[in-house]
Structure formats: C-alpha cells, structure tokens
C-alpha cells in the first residue's frame, strides 16, 4: 500500500488531485486542520479537505483521511465528531509536525514528550468517532531524541489508533538525511497494528531499501512524490514506463487551472514555481522551465511561458 503524505503549504488538495490522477496512490491524508479552543465550522473542514464534498474521495477516486492537530483532548474530540459527520475516509492525528510555530503552541511533534497526553487525545477522539470509521496517527521517532518512541507509539495504539505512520526522524533531525528506517522495525515489533514507513523516499530503490530496513509493507510518500509524480507507479510496477515530461505537462496545466481558481493572484505564480522547483530533481526540462520563469510573477506571463496559450481557469 502507498499513501500520499500531507505537507502544509505544498501537498494540498490541488496537488493531491493531480498526483492521484497519475496512479499508484492507495490513500491520501490531508494537511492538518489546527484545533485550538473552538468548534470549527464545516467550511474550515471543507476548505482544507474539499474532498469531503466528493464522498471523501479525490476526483480520481482515491480516499482521503482528514488530519487533525491539537493538544486539548476535549476540543479535539468535539471537532472529530463534527468532522466525522462529513464522512471522510477516516481521521488521522498529527504528532509529527516539526514546525516551530506549531510546536510552540503544543501541537505536532512536541507532544512526543508527553505520551500520557497523547493517550488522552487519541482515546477522546476515538470515543467521539462513529463505529467503523478508521483512526490513524502520524508520528516522528521523537522530539529532540528517540528515547520515547515506543512509549508514544503504544499510547496511540492503546488510545484506539488502528494504523501508525512513522516518519523515521526526530523533530530535531528535521528533514536532513538520512531517515532512520531501521528504527521503525522496533515500533512494528511492539504494536499490533499496521505500521507505515515514511521519510526520505525519493526513488523506487529508496522504497525497496525502506521496506527492507523497516520491515513494513506500506509506505507514505511526500516530497519524493512531489518531485517525481510517477514514483508511486514506479514502486508498484517496476517495469512500467516512466512518466515523461510531455505526459506531465497536461497535469501541470490542470494544477495551474486550480491554482488560479483557489489562490489569490499575487500568490499564483509562486505556487507553480514551488512545484517546478521540486520537479527539477527528476526532470531536466523542469530545470530549464524553472530558470526561464523564476523571475516572472505575472500569472498571465507565466502561463504563456510554460503552456504557450492564454490561461483558462478551471474549478
């Protein structure tokens, strides 16, 4: 099984749509919905996870679990109940975000120093959810070190999480290579639920090494999938033809059409250039295109340079 990771400010519903059209992805997780001290209106849930308006599926039919982030068990549970009424493909809890502003407000990876609170959060959310709706959790190996990895993983499972995704680095490690895939094996050995390996998988060879070292049979792909939209297919079908630049261009244009619908004009060019920057890792054509448009901020001019005809906004 291959899951598509959430990445705040990068891998959002627009990119989920495009990447799941390529194929190879079995399930997605949304970017986090931040829960503080209030009950969120439905429009917040559907803005971050518009797939809720499509039966919890991307346009390509891939299920999406909606992710919550927060530290108040009662507030998390109340919001989980309201979110569940919108019928996502499941709910995921974020104990892995390394962002300083998130951690400063007791969200994400900082909670990996508080396994007792993790247990309270997961238990409260599980009780609030309807029977049969899946609950999963994503974590790192730890906050500043990995001394409490197993304790935190067990707390999530004891609370009712039916699947764990382990990003094989601590918060202190950030996104610096390497990812310590072998350390996931210890988690897998101590919990009686499915464990998904995540972190630093950029190629099909990386995927095989990750699966072998972690002992897992499932992966979550993030930046690697953004840089190479054909990566999931390459992992699933090693003999399949690689996704060509010419095959990718119509998907980029679809993405661009959605950016024009959903983002303010002043941020549109930057959003496409952000994806092009990642694509440079896999495609020489992306390097050339990025260098050609990197100083362009006009959506109209950017479209002419990349696609050669006037833009048409798409819903």
């Amino acid at each position: 099984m291959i899951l598509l990771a959430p990445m705040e400010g990068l891998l959002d519903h627009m990119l989920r749509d495009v990447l799941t059209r390529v194929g190879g992805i079995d399930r997605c997780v949304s970017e986090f919905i931040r829960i503080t001290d209030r009950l969120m209106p439905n429009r917040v849930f559907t803005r971050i996870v518009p797939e809720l308006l499509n039966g919890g599926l991307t346009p390509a039919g891939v299920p999406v679990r909606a992710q919550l982030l927060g530290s108040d068990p009662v507030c998390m549970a109340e919001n989980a109940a309201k979110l569940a009424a919108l019928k996502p493909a499941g709910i995921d809890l974020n104990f892995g975000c390394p962002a300083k502003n998130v951690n400063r407000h007791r969200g994400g990876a900082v909670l990996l120093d508080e396994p007792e609170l993790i247990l309270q959060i997961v238990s409260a959310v599980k009780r609030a959810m309807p029977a049969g709706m899946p609950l999963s959790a994503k974590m790192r190996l730890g906050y500043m070190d990995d001394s409490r990895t197993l304790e935190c993983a067990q707390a999530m499972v004891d609370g009712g999480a039916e699947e764990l995704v382990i990003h094989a680095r601590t918060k202190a490690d950030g996104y610096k290579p390497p990812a310590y895939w072998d350390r996931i094996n210890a988690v897998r050995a101590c919990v009686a639920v499915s464990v998904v390996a995540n972190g630093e998988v950029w190629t099909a060879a990386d995927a095989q090494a990750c699966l072998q070292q972690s002992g897992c049979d499932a992966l979550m792909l993030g930046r690697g999938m953004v840089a190479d939209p054909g990566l999931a297919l390459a992992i699933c079908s090693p003999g399949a033809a690689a996704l060509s630049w010419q095959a990718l261009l119509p998907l980029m244009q679809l993405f661009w059409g959605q950016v024009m619908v959903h983002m303010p004009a002043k941020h549109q060019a930057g959003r496409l250039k952000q994806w092009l920057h990642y694509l440079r890792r896999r495609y020489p054509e992306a390097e050339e295109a990025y260098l050609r448009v990197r100083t362009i901020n006009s959506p109209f001019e950017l479209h002419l340079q990349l696609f050669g005809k006037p833009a048409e906004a798409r819903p």
Side-chain angles (χ1 to χ4, degrees), residues 45-108:
F45 297 136
T46 56
R47 175 176 55 82
I48 296 174
V49 196
E51 295 94 343
L52 292 168
L53 303 174
N54 187 46
L57 306 172
T58 69
V62 177
V64 181
R65 290 191 186 178
Q67 188 181 81
L68 298 178
L69 177 149
S71 59
D72 183 315
V74 173
C75 205
M76 287 283 282
E78 291 173 347
N79 278 279
K82 189 168 187 183
L83 173 59
L86 297 174
K87 302 189 184 307
I91 291 177
D92 188 78
L93 300 178
N94 183 318
F95 299 109
C97 179
K100 289 181 180 178
N101 64 319
V102 172
N103 296 163
R104 190 165 52 245
H105 294 92
R106 289 189 84 203

Side-chain angles (χ1 to χ4, degrees), residues 86 175 297:
L86 297 174
Y175 291 97
N297 293 312

Side-chain angles (χ1 to χ4, degrees), residues 97-100 103 109-110 140-144 169-174:
C97 179
K100 289 181 180 178
N103 296 163
V110 71
R140 283 179 171 249
L141 293 175
Y143 187 56
M144 299 310 291
R169 285 180 277 223
T170 65
K171 182 270 180 189
D173 294 328

Side-chain angles (χ1 to χ4, degrees), residues 35-42 45 75 77-83:
I35 305 302
T36 52
D37 57 356
R38 73 187 80 175
L39 193 60
M40 294 297 179
N42 283 350
F45 297 136
C75 205
E78 291 173 347
N79 278 279
K82 189 168 187 183
L83 173 59

